[in-house]
């Protein structure tokens, strides 16, 4: 496979919007776009996944991106914790990651939540504290 061109600034946002529209049709709507292109090309797209009422953040900076999924109760997880994907700001990696996101959103996701400064994980609909101390 040849080298893929990195997308920057508004070009990256437009490509992501196009891919989301093609892959998700009406299942995802754009809620907000924040940009600070003069700060390492930073941008953040806030999306709403309608079937499960999840908020999805697609955040890019420099030449890479991250995708996070958030439930209405504040529970969260990064897509990278659920599935491996390349996060270069290239057309191929954006397209592939959105396809993986689409498939993940159809599965049961075990989210994390911080309660009283402690980390909990969703286990069958109940948040259980994760013992992260290693004494």
């Amino acid at each position: 496979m040849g080298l893929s061109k990195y997308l920057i600034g508004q070009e990256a946002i437009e490509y992501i919007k196009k891919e989301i529209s093609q892959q998700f049709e009406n299942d995802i709507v754009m809620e907000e776009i924040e940009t600070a292109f003069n700060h390492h090309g930073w941008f953040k797209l806030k999306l709403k996944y309608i079937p499960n009422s999840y908020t999805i953040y697609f955040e890019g900076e420099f030449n890479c991106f991250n995708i996070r999924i958030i439930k209405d109760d504040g529970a969260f997880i990064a897509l990278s914790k659920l599935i491996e994907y390349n996060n270069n700001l290239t057309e191929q990696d954006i397209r592939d990651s959105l396809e993986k996101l689409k498939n993940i959103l159809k599965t049961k996701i075990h989210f994390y939540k911080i309660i009283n400064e402690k980390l909990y994980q969703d286990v069958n609909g109940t948040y259980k504290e994760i013992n992260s101390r290693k004494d």
Side-chain angles (χ1 to χ4, degrees):
M1 187 187 302
L3 293 175
S4 293
K5 174 187 161 204
Y6 281 91
L7 302 174
I8 58 171
Q10 195 61 39
E11 180 185 33
I13 291 173
E14 292 306 317
Y15 184 78
I16 294 162
K17 287 168 55 177
K18 178 181 77 94
E19 278 300 313
I20 287 170
S21 177
Q22 287 178 352
Q23 291 196 37
F24 289 91
E25 297 176 355
N26 296 322
D27 284 347
I28 285 188
V29 295
M30 182 76 58
E31 289 194 327
E32 187 178 321
I33 299 173
E34 293 180 59
T35 63
F37 295 140
N38 58 346
H39 183 72
H40 310 294
W42 179 86
F43 65 87
K44 180 167 65 173
L45 308 178
K46 181 180 179 185
L47 312 157
K48 183 61 97 178
Y49 180 66
I50 304 300
N52 292 349
S53 193
Y54 296 154
T55 298
I56 298 169
Y57 289 101
F58 192 112
E59 187 170 7
E61 187 173 37
F62 291 110
N63 58 0
C64 62
F65 64 89
N66 292 300
I67 298 172
R68 289 176 288 138
I69 308 164
I70 315 249
K71 284 178 45 176
D72 285 342
D73 68 357
F76 59 88
I77 193 152
L79 181 62
S80 61
K81 294 291 185 186
L82 300 170
I83 195 161
E84 199 172 300
Y85 67 94
N86 293 324
N87 69 338
N88 298 302
L89 267 173
T90 64
E91 290 182 0
Q92 186 67 48
D93 288 351
I94 291 168
R95 184 172 39 252
D96 291 348
S97 67
L98 289 173
E99 185 175 318
K100 289 178 179 185
L101 173 65
K102 182 178 179 180
N103 292 330
I104 285 291
L105 290 172
K106 295 176 184 174
T107 67
K108 172 72 174 144
I109 299 173
H110 297 284
F111 289 89
Y112 293 91
K113 189 171 185 178
I114 296 174
I115 303 170
N116 297 325
E117 299 183 20
K118 294 180 182 173
L119 186 63
Y120 289 76
Q121 183 177 25
D122 176 15
V123 179
N124 298 321
T126 303
Y127 290 106
K128 305 281 185 188
E129 185 177 355
I130 296 175
N131 185 0
S132 57
R133 290 184 61 164
K134 308 254 192 248
D135 292 349

